[in-house]
Amino acid sequence: MMFRALALASDALVMQGQSVFEAYEDRVVMRTPDEPDYWHGNLIIMKHPPGDALAQVSQFQTDFPDATHRTIIWDVPDLDPAPLAATLTPHGYEVGTSDTLALGDKIQDVRRPEGIILRTLNSDADWTALTDLQAEVALEEGYDPKLHTPFLQRRNTARRKQIADWMGAWFGAFDGSILVGSMGMFHDDRIARYQAVETRASHRRRGICAALLVQAAKWALGRAPKARPVIVAEAKSDAGRLYRRMGFRLAETLVEATKPGY
């Protein structure tokens, strides 16, 4: 499946074996049958700039008549989001952008923070700790834990199976026995894509995220030396500024419209 956007090409890589893609003249429909409430696993990807935005988003309901959410992404890098926001916000959509940052020549090496152990997640206890960490971060972001935690559990079950079957790993930073940071990495010969970068609030600004970035990049590039590491994050956020200091550069910006399912 070919996309113009690097972010979407890497999404297809990460979701390989879990999602199916249906190509039409005007759009690609992405479905994740085992996770119908995964907003970014069940969406439509429009191939062209929006002419009639309301008509385009109504296509989602045709393709997903039973979905409680709505998610539409435009495979048009650097599209202006303002006209879409003006049209769709009054109809309950959240219109936003996501930046794709790609590594330049090499990643800046950093020291591992004192007292922190970096390793892959291996056991049931590790993956339970990952879900707990993600739920804690999601609570900060305003998600209802009663609804969001089951979603995280399903996502991590799928990721764990994918890692066992395919080319991926999940990295954790441990302070003693406590998981305080994590991120995933999946790759093929062309792209190495970071996933779900998170740090516990009590351990932020200690260099844990940077150390994990290096650990994951070295792992992927050791297996696929020509792969291009990419990460999706807001370029002007604190995280985005960190990634740029580490050697990443803004490659593209995509626009999406979402009506949350909860």
Side-chain angles (χ1 to χ4, degrees), residues 88-179:
L88 298 178
T89 300
H91 294 272
Y93 284 85
E94 300 172 0
V95 177
T97 59
S98 60
D99 297 327
T100 303
L101 293 88
L103 185 63
D105 293 336
K106 62 179 181 179
I107 195 165
Q108 178 180 320
D109 208 351
V110 296
R111 292 183 178 180
R112 175 176 54 84
E114 186 175 353
I116 299 298
I117 297 170
L118 306 179
R119 63 171 175 82
T120 56
L121 305 190
N122 301 307
S123 67
D124 291 344
D126 285 347
W127 283 89
T128 297
L130 175 63
T131 300
D132 291 343
L133 172 60
Q134 292 170 331
E136 183 177 311
V137 173
L139 182 61
E140 295 178 48
E141 297 171 349
Y143 287 96
D144 182 340
K146 292 182 179 179
L147 296 173
H148 195 63
T149 300
F151 161 75
L152 293 172
Q153 291 169 335
R154 291 190 295 271
R155 274 276 65 225
N156 287 332
T157 296
R159 285 165 171 158
R160 192 174 181 182
K161 181 179 184 301
Q162 189 182 39
I163 286 169
D165 292 344
W166 187 56
M167 301 178 70
W170 212 274
F171 297 86
F174 291 83
D175 186 352
S177 62
I178 301 172
L179 180 67

